């Protein structure tokens, strides 16, 4: 059996955390490929190594002296190595890294050094081989992951390696320069490695015991979700549940490898299992989780006989596309169409321009804008098998005095999305939670 384990920033934050990681890794001989993040925060006000590295880069290119800031990084690694009694010559490695940062003058290269240094230390501490992600992970000329090349490279590079530590967060672009994923991207690296070595399980070790059924800031006693399908995870993370990088699912999904979210600081907690639909053991829950986001804008368009007008929806969507804005949802009726957009994308005159262009393009009878809308996704495979779920949701919201402004049900019957005023956001989530999950 092969397990790939990814440890996040909190798990790499200091010597004590690294000791926890070592116990976990050495406690199971199947844990053979270990992907690490850069050291994260040790306490609430602390600064992540990656953020400090971005600061170094900004100081470097603005002509300032970044040495003072880089010294903070040096101090953290030197202290860690000392506390762990390691013989690795971390001072030389740090000096070399500093030189390379100056030579490369690249934000990605600079930021990637947190993971690089973290993996060098961890490899030494575990007695494992250090294998650089830059030798395996490749992006194409458009900056997209070159999946086939990478999968083959990971498989061939690690075929004869029994036990390795691999830095997360980066690979190389088509010109051979270091390129990073977006923030939190070590989750993606872990998934890529799991796919390449055809792992039996991808363990993602973090500082929480899994996905929660609902935001704990809104519902205090929300519980850990024991099992989720890939699709449910997509719906929940798209709507703001942020335990795993939203792209981390794709490499393992192709090979149907399950992900287990685990807590480094409570290793006996079962965590959340994310599995392909076929492997879902199924609970009796109708709803698996609730997630939501605030601050959307709805453009409501009405025109008699809209349904008989060829190309109506396309023309409206083209206007939005021209402004390079994503349409989040577009529920429609016979004579009505609503376009839901993220308010943050509508800065300045953009909203005004879009409305004018829609008027010119399709000559609607009526256009109305509703701002400050929250979207709440109620997600669960259980909904597809049961009649009456929507009725229960709407009754619960009516009882709580929440006015629903928009409803959208995904075609897979996996989710129902409701739009409410920002001020009803918390009330809406609590009402649904109380109805289905208490
Ligand atoms: N260190 C990177 C970040 O802070 C990547 C990661 O931790 O996954 O975003």
């Amino acid at each position: 059996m092969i397990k790939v384990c990814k440890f996040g920033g909190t798990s790499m934050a200091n010597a004590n955390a690294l000791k926890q990681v070592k116990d976990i890794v050495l406690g199971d001989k199947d844990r053979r490929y270990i992907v690490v993040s850069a050291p994260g925060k040790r306490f609430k006000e602390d600064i992540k190594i990656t953020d400090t590295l971005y600061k170094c880069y900004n100081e470097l290119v603005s002509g300032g002296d970044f040495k003072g800031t880089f010294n903070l990084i040096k101090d953290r690694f030197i202290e860690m190595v000392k506390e762990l009694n390691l013989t690795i010559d971390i001072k030389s490695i740090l000096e070399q890294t500093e030189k390379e940062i100056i030579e490369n003058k690249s934000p990605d290269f600079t930021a990637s050094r947190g993971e690089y240094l973290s993996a060098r230390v961890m490899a030494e501490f575990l007695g494992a081989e250090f294998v650089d992600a830059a030798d395996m992970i490749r992006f194409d000329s458009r900056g997209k992951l070159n999946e086939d090349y990478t999968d083959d490279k990971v498989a061939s590079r690690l075929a004869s390696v029994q036990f390795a530590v691999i830095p997360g967060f980066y690979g190389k672009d088509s010109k051979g320069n270091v390129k990073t994923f977006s923030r939190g991207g070590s989750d993606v690296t872990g998934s890529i490695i799991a796919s390449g070595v055809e792992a039996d399980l991808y363990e993602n070790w973090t500082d929480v015991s899994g996905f929660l059924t609902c935001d704990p800031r809104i519902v205090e006693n929300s519980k850990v979700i024991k099992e989720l399908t890939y699709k449910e995870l997509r719906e929940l993370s798209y709507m703001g549940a942020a335990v795993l990088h939203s792209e981390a699912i794709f490499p393992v999904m192709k090979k149907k490898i399950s992900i287990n979210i685990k807590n480094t600081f409570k290793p006996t907690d079962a965590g959340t299992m994310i599995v392909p639909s076929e492997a879902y053991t199924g609970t009796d829950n109708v709803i698996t989780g609730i997630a939501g986001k605030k601050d959307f804008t709805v453009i409501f368009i009405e025109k008699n006989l809209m349904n008989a007008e060829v190309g109506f929806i396309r023309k409206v969507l083209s206007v939005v596309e021209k402004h390079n804005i994503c349409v989040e949802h577009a529920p429609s009726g016979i004579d009505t169409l609503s376009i839901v957009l993220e308010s943050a994308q509508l800065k300045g005159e953009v909203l005004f321009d879009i409305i004018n262009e829609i008027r010119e393009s399709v000559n609607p009878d009526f256009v109305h804008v509703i701002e400050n809308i929250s979207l709440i996704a109620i997600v669960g495979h259980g909904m597809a098998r049961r009649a009456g779920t929507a009725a229960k949701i709407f009754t619960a919201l009516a009882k709580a005095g929440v006015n629903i402004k928009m409803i959208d049900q995904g075609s897979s019957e996996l989710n129902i999305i409701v739009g409410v005023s920002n001020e009803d956001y918390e009330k809406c989530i609590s009402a649904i939670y109380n109805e289905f999950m208490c």
Side-chain angles (χ1 to χ4, degrees):
M1 191 158 179
I2 300 179
K3 289 181 187 169
V4 169
C5 304
K6 179 259 166 177
F7 289 90
T10 327
S11 311
M12 299 302 298
N14 57 25
N16 275 341
L18 261 78
K19 287 179 191 162
Q20 289 276 124
V21 171
K22 186 174 185 176
D23 284 347
I24 291 167
V25 172
L26 299 187
D28 182 346
K29 63 172 182 15
D30 296 333
R31 295 185 174 131
R32 288 178 46 195
Y33 302 110
I34 314 303
V35 175
V36 294
S37 279
K41 292 186 181 192
R42 294 160 290 185
F43 43 90
K44 205 164 168 257
E45 300 75 28
D46 199 13
I47 301 171
K48 292 179 177 183
I49 288 284
T50 309
D51 290 315
T52 314
L53 283 163
Y54 279 120
K55 188 163 181 261
C56 285
Y57 172 75
N58 289 333
E59 288 170 353
L60 179 68
V61 289
S62 61
D65 184 7
F66 80 102
K67 284 191 187 309
T69 310
F70 195 72
N71 278 342
L72 300 173
I73 295 169
K74 280 186 175 167
D75 291 347
R76 261 184 92 170
F77 279 103
I78 290 168
E79 185 188 307
M80 200 186 265
V81 164
K82 201 169 148 207
E83 275 184 49
L84 296 173
N85 285 323
L86 301 178
T87 52
I88 183 173
D89 187 358
I90 192 73
K91 286 192 183 146
S92 311
I93 297 174
L94 285 160
E95 265 153 37
Q96 178 64 19
T97 302
E98 191 173 353
K99 263 196 226 141
E100 288 171 359
I101 288 176
I102 298 169
E103 276 160 26
N104 274 273
K105 267 209 181 61
S106 134
D108 285 29
F109 179 82
T110 309
S112 74
R113 295 305 87 185
E115 270 69 13
Y116 170 80
L117 293 164
S118 193
R120 292 290 306 264
V121 172
M122 198 63 195
E124 176 83 8
F125 189 41
L126 290 177
E129 186 175 330
F130 167 83
V131 178
D132 200 346
D135 298 335
M136 301 184 282
I137 296 178
R138 196 57 49 93
F139 297 90
D140 65 20
S141 54
R142 286 168 306 150
K144 287 234 172 320
L145 178 71
N146 187 336
E147 289 174 29
D148 294 338
Y149 177 96
T150 299
D151 212 42
D152 287 350
K153 264 282 184 224
V154 171
S156 58
R157 177 68 184 84
L158 297 179
S160 56
V161 180
Q162 187 57 29
F163 186 30
V165 177
I166 300 143
F169 193 38
Y170 69 93
K172 270 189 180 167
D173 67 14
S174 54
K175 294 194 183 110
N177 300 314
V178 164
K179 178 175 163 51
T180 60
F181 291 100
S182 56
R183 295 297 304 266
S186 300
D187 286 342
V188 187
T189 310
S191 183
I192 288 170
I193 301 298
S195 163
V197 301
E198 311 242 334
D200 298 278
L201 184 66
Y202 170 28
E203 289 182 338
N204 190 290
W205 292 84
T206 175
D207 54 3
V208 291
S209 293
F211 275 88
L212 295 177
T213 46
C214 175
D215 187 337
R217 286 166 302 186
I218 300 172
V219 175
E220 246 178 55
N221 56 348
S222 57
K223 298 177 194 74
V224 170
I225 303 174
K226 287 200 184 92
E227 195 182 28
L228 270 176
T229 63
Y230 295 144
K231 282 193 185 142
E232 286 175 328
L233 172 75
R234 282 287 297 149
E235 300 284 347
L236 288 173
S237 44
Y238 167 72
M239 287 299 284
V243 178
L244 196 68
H245 190 290
S246 59
E247 285 161 37
I249 193 89
F250 298 113
V252 287
M253 196 158 99
K254 278 197 180 159
K255 306 246 173 111
K256 299 192 189 303
I257 299 164
S258 299
I259 307 174
N260 191 187
I261 307 287
K262 295 276 287 177
N263 188 345
T264 301
F265 307 97
K266 290 185 182 166
T268 52
D269 283 3
T272 300
M273 280 299 284
I274 303 156
V275 300
S277 311
E278 316 77 277
Y280 189 60
T281 55
T283 60
D284 288 336
N285 292 342
V286 182
I287 285 172
T288 308
I290 309 166
K293 278 199 237 171
K294 284 187 172 176
D295 297 327
F296 291 90
T297 297
V298 182
I299 304 176
F300 177 81
I301 305 157
E302 192 169 342
K303 186 174 187 187
N304 281 335
L305 297 175
M306 174 194 287
N307 63 326
E309 200 174 314
V310 174
F312 187 94
I313 294 181
R314 179 187 52 75
K315 285 183 201 157
V316 172
L317 296 183
S318 308
V319 170
V320 183
E321 185 183 351
K322 214 185 86 199
H323 288 269
N324 200 23
I325 288 174
C326 292
V327 174
E328 303 287 329
H329 298 275
S332 65
I334 311 171
D335 293 330
T336 61
L337 171 67
S338 298
I339 306 289
V340 184
L341 310 170
E342 225 179 10
S343 307
Q345 301 205 49
L346 301 171
K347 299 252 163 63
E349 297 293 292
V350 178
L351 180 60
F352 188 71
D353 291 346
I354 289 179
I355 292 165
N356 278 341
E357 287 165 33
I358 289 176
R359 283 208 172 100
E360 276 163 29
S361 166
V362 293
N363 193 25
D365 298 334
F366 178 73
V367 180
H368 178 57
V369 174
I370 317 169
E371 290 179 284
N372 302 319
I373 292 291
S374 293
L375 296 183
I376 290 125
I378 303 123
V379 177
H381 273 295
M383 288 198 287
R385 297 189 299 267
R386 283 182 190 82
T389 311
K392 255 174 110 179
I393 293 172
F394 302 136
T395 312
L397 294 182
K399 265 199 242 154
V402 175
N403 180 19
I404 304 171
K405 302 205 180 261
M406 192 204 81
I407 302 164
D408 198 2
Q409 179 171 27
S411 41
S412 57
E413 284 187 63
L414 186 69
N415 66 355
I416 293 176
I417 292 176
V418 293
V420 302
S421 287
N422 275 349
E423 60 202 32
D424 281 340
Y425 176 74
E426 285 83 6
K427 215 202 286 179
C428 176
I429 291 185
S430 305
I432 299 166
Y433 185 90
N434 291 338
E435 182 65 36
F436 288 94
M437 289 165 157
C438 270

